[in-house]
């Protein structure tokens, strides 16, 4: 990869939460390792899908990259349009304000992320006002422009969010995120709360906007078919760590990590001609305040060996562009999503 291809470089990023247990938090304090030494790049103009079970740290990773929350350790190097590189983790207030003009977030729940007391115009215009985008007329023009780009009509701007359906509300959320003309957007489960019939419309809108505006997405999702559809590459997260990262087809057809294989086997089969051999993913995701020793996946891994319990596997590039953290990645022959005609 050329240096200039990278928009973002995440290096050894950690986010631990301190939580107090017991009545009034008096008993004991413990740490949740929500993001635990994560390193990867995001390329200019790509969609990087991020998948993993609930509680694996996807939202925390997205929020830490955007400095919505402060990291515990590590670097987030962002390549600015002027060619400079900033470490988002170290930015002061002023630096952060500039960074936020380039990086925004779209949320899962368009119901709770939009203020019910603000009109659509004010919701979309808020980031423009905060960032001193221009005089009233310039701001108004931009609001109309971005609303139209997202499939909203001018008469919608006077209304309040409760007057809209879920899909329309997500269009408002997208318009708000794009108003300031960012280059990078973290999309945190942007279609998970929507009816299946509406999901495709919003995914198509996000894809069209990406092409037209040259956007780069970190796209977080539970639904692997959505991720397969929209992503150029896919990263798989387990218990605060990345366990696999590669081109989408590689991850889906030739996974290197047993956790990825197990996730793939859980994809619902819509096509009756496709036979899936289900791999059972047993047990719950462990407590991130007390992760297992060695490979964090070992208590649930059907291939686990004694070494897996003792040593943490290294994050390594096994094939060009295909990374994994598994002691047996080079030896196992895992199943991806395979279409077998009956
Ligand atoms: N503010 C917080 N304080 C303490 N623990 C937190 C906080 N935010 C998240 N966590 C914990 O960090 C871990 C990762 O949570 P996170 O929300 O990032 O997971 P996720 O992969 O986005 O899950 P989901 O798919 O359910 O959205 C979880 O164990 C969660 O309980
Ligand atoms: S390192 Fe061992 S336990 Fe972990 S995923 Fe690989 S085989 Fe399974
Ligand atoms: Mg989440």
């Amino acid at each position: 990869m050329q240096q200039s291809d990278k928009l973002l470089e995440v290096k050894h990023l950690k986010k631990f939460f301190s939580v107090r247990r017991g009545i009034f938090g008096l008993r004991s304090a413990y740490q949740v390792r929500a993001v635990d030494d994560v390193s990867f790049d995001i390329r200019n103009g790509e969609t990087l899908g991020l998948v993993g079970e609930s509680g694996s740290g996807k939202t925390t990773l997205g929020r830490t990259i955007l400095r919505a929350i402060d990291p515990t350790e590590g670097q987030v190097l962002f390549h600015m349009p002027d060619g400079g590189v900033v470490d988002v983790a170290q930015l002061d207030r002023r630096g952060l304000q500039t960074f936020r003009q380039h990086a925004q977030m779209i949320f899962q729940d368009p119901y709770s992320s939009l203020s019910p007391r603000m009109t659509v115009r004010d919701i979309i215009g808020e980031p423009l006002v905060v960032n001193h985008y221009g005089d009233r007329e310039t701001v108004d023009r931009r609001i109309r422009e971005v609303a139209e780009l997202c499939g909203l009509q001018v008469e919608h701007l006077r209304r309040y969010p409760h007057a809209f359906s879920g899909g329309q509300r997500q269009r408002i959320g997208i318009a708000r995120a794009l108003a300031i003309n960012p280059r990078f957007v973290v999309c945190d489960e942007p279609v998970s709360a929507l009816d299946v019939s509406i999901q495709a419309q919003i995914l198509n809108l996000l894809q069209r906007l990406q092409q037209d505006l040259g956007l780069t997405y970190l796209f977080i999702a539970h639904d692997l078919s959505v991720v397969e559809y929209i992503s150029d590459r896919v990263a798989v997260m387990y218990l605060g760590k990345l366990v696999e990262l590669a081109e989408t087809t590689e991850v889906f057809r030739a996974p290197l990590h047993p956790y990825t294989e197990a996730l793939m086997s859980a994809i619902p089969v819509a096509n009756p001609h496709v036979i899936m051999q289900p791999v059972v993913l047993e047990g719950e995701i462990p407590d991130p305040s007390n992760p297992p020793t060695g490979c964090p996946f070992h208590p649930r891994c059907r291939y686990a060996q004694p070494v897996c319990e003792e040593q943490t596997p290294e994050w390594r590039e096994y094939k060009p562009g295909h990374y994994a953290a598994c002691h047996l990645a080079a030896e196992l022959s895992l199943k991806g999503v395979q279409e077998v005609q009956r």
Side-chain angles (χ1 to χ4, degrees):
M1 197 193 314
Q2 298 282 307
Q3 190 69 15
S4 57
D5 286 345
K6 294 176 187 174
L7 178 65
L8 216 128
E9 295 167 69
V10 176
K11 291 181 189 280
H12 303 291
L13 194 65
K14 295 183 183 176
K15 177 64 193 179
F16 299 167
F17 293 106
S18 289
V19 182
R20 293 196 163 272
R21 249 195 269 256
I23 300 172
F24 308 121
L26 290 175
R27 244 187 27 230
S28 62
Y30 67 102
Q31 274 194 324
V32 175
R33 295 164 161 256
V35 174
D36 192 3
D37 199 359
V38 165
S39 299
F40 65 102
D41 298 332
I42 301 183
R43 299 171 184 166
N44 251 314
E46 79 168 335
T47 297
L48 177 64
L50 180 60
V51 300
E53 285 166 289
S54 183
S56 55
K58 306 179 297 294
T59 296
T60 307
L61 177 56
R63 285 167 52 80
T64 312
I65 288 173
L66 293 183
R67 261 294 284 285
I69 44 178
D70 288 336
T72 305
E73 234 178 271
Q75 290 182 305
V76 178
L77 303 180
F78 186 78
H79 293 244
M80 300 293 261
D82 64 4
V85 180
V86 294
D87 182 359
V88 180
Q90 300 294 333
L91 287 176
D92 59 13
R93 247 175 73 126
R94 236 180 118 168
L96 268 182
Q97 198 170 11
T98 310
F99 168 68
R100 295 218 166 100
Q101 294 174 18
H102 302 297
Q104 289 284 321
M105 188 148 181
I106 297 168
F107 300 90
Q108 169 177 2
D109 187 354
Y111 292 84
S112 62
S113 61
L114 303 178
S115 166
R117 284 180 296 279
M118 286 168 77
T119 62
V120 172
R121 177 191 303 279
D122 290 343
I123 288 170
I124 299 176
E126 195 179 31
L128 298 171
V129 174
V130 170
N131 286 288
H132 312 291
Y133 186 79
D135 59 21
R136 211 191 138 87
E137 202 180 313
T138 314
V139 166
D140 261 6
R141 200 178 321 121
R142 179 63 188 157
I143 293 171
R144 285 198 302 275
E145 190 177 75
V146 77
E148 193 184 330
L149 266 178
C150 295
L152 296 164
Q153 272 131 46
V154 177
E155 58 267 27
H156 290 155
L157 296 174
R158 279 182 278 114
R159 299 190 197 152
Y160 291 86
H162 63 77
F164 295 89
S165 65
Q168 294 286 79
R169 285 190 214 208
Q170 197 51 292
R171 287 177 194 270
I172 300 168
I174 295 169
R176 180 179 60 179
L178 299 187
I180 197 78
N181 218 352
R183 309 170 63 208
F184 173 58
V185 184
V186 173
C187 309
D188 191 358
E189 311 240 14
V191 299
S192 305
L194 304 176
D195 288 348
V196 175
S197 57
I198 308 295
Q199 288 188 358
Q201 290 175 18
I202 298 297
L203 289 173
N204 289 339
L205 172 67
L206 286 169
Q207 278 188 320
R208 183 169 56 73
L209 291 168
Q210 179 174 47
Q211 277 159 17
D212 293 353
L213 307 174
L215 298 169
T216 302
Y217 293 144
L218 177 63
F219 192 98
I220 300 172
H222 270 104
D223 184 336
L224 287 167
S225 35
V226 167
V227 170
E228 186 179 20
Y229 174 74
I230 199 149
S231 311
D232 299 298
R233 294 190 301 153
V234 175
V236 183
M237 199 166 182
Y238 186 76
L239 216 59
K241 291 181 181 295
L242 286 194
V243 297
E244 183 153 6
L245 170 64
E247 301 288 330
T248 305
T249 6
E250 272 277 301
V251 170
F252 277 79
R253 306 283 171 247
L256 289 179
H257 198 285
Y259 178 61
T260 313
E261 181 188 53
L263 281 184
M264 297 298 155
S265 76
I267 299 177
V269 180
N271 179 348
H273 298 295
V274 176
I275 303 167
M276 291 290 298
Q277 296 291 324
V279 174
V280 181
L281 186 51
E282 283 173 352
E284 297 284 305
I285 189 164
D287 179 355
S289 67
N290 184 22
T293 56
C295 169
F297 188 55
H298 87 256
R300 300 169 81 188
C301 182
R302 62 209 292 253
Y303 307 103
Q305 301 292 315
V307 62
C308 305
E309 206 175 324
E310 287 150 23
Q311 288 173 28
T312 308
E314 238 182 280
W315 177 243
R316 274 181 45 197
E317 188 172 14
Y318 282 91
K319 293 192 239 167
H322 196 156
Y323 298 80
C326 170
H327 292 303
L328 308 184
E331 293 153 46
L332 295 172
S333 178
L334 303 178
K335 288 195 200 76
V337 179
Q338 289 161 344
E339 299 212 353
V340 183
Q341 294 297 322
R342 281 186 203 274

